[in-house]
Amino acid sequence: GEKKTELLVMRNLRCGSSKHRFLDIKIGQKTAQAGWQGKSRVAALRQSMVDGITNSSCEGFRLEGFDGRPPALESMDPLLDLGMTGNAKMAKKALRVMLQRMPAAEMLLHWLDLHQEPSDVPNEKMKLQLCTTEVAEIVCHEAVRSLCGLAVACRRSPVPQKWIGSSVGL
């Protein structure tokens, strides 16, 4: 018999879009293990501490990145209450922790937030072009359909599996 080759074809998710919103979601309650992909025992222990204080320990996943954040989320300054504004390095770390601790409901709320941008389609073009809400409905439908397919594929995969370091992009 002929040897069967399986391929995974990927493309750049930004291809064809001038502006987009992209969520990078790290899946699993435990996201590192000593010896896996060259991770040292100390690095795995440090990562398990991060897992414990992020949404990974609550819902089993966390938000690692958010490209194209809406203005409402962009304006949030996690250091404002501490009076530590102005330190760019500290602000970047604080933003990352804020995203990592964000629950799914809030994550999706910001992902689908269209109240400030993009601007909606003018009334005279409504018959020819989808408005932002209609596009958001289509995107949401496709995301749910794809995530359901992923959930079914994960359930059907032989166990045990190593899911350490796996991510999902929306």
Side-chain angles (χ1 to χ4, degrees):
E2 214 174 290
K3 186 178 177 184
K4 187 176 178 181
T5 303
E6 290 187 32
L7 298 175
L8 174 64
V9 179
M10 298 176 71
R11 70 179 186 135
N12 185 340
L13 295 175
R14 293 174 176 89
C15 179
S17 69
S18 58
K19 194 165 188 171
H20 65 276
R21 293 219 176 123
F22 183 77
L23 301 180
D24 176 12
I25 302 166
K26 178 81 86 171
I27 59 174
Q29 289 182 321
K30 182 178 176 184
T31 61
Q33 183 177 354
W36 181 254
Q37 301 290 330
K39 180 88 62 177
S40 72
R41 192 163 185 233
V42 172
L45 180 61
R46 188 174 348 146
Q47 190 60 49
S48 71
M49 291 171 48
V50 170
D51 292 340
I53 64 166
T54 64
N55 198 44
S56 293
S57 64
C58 303
E59 295 182 299
F61 56 87
R62 70 171 177 261
L63 184 58
E64 274 298 314
F66 195 142
D67 290 351
R69 294 188 301 266
L73 183 58
E74 231 9 281
S75 70
M76 290 182 184
D77 185 353
L79 295 176
L80 193 61
D81 292 337
L82 302 174
M84 298 177 69
T85 58
N87 184 338
K89 188 175 180 181
M90 186 67 84
K92 187 175 180 178
K93 287 181 180 184
L95 173 66
R96 184 168 183 193
V97 170
M98 181 182 82
L99 293 177
Q100 289 176 334
R101 294 180 56 110
M102 191 176 288
E106 188 177 349
M107 190 187 307
L108 294 174
L109 174 93
H110 291 299
W111 187 57
L112 296 169
D113 179 8
L114 300 172
H115 83 279
Q116 289 178 297
E117 68 176 22
S119 54
D120 213 347
V121 178
N123 286 338
E124 60 273 5
K125 292 188 177 181
M126 286 293 243
K127 291 185 180 188
L128 304 171
Q129 188 176 345
L130 296 174
C131 71
T132 54
T133 306
E134 292 169 321
V135 172
E137 287 174 0
I138 292 168
V139 167
C140 197
H141 175 267
E142 288 300 310
V144 168
R145 192 178 63 72
S146 296
L147 288 172
C148 287
L150 176 63
V152 169
C154 290
R155 284 283 185 191
R156 289 183 176 164
S157 66
V159 291
Q161 289 286 331
K162 281 271 193 209
W163 296 104
I164 303 291
S166 298
S167 293
V168 172
L170 289 181

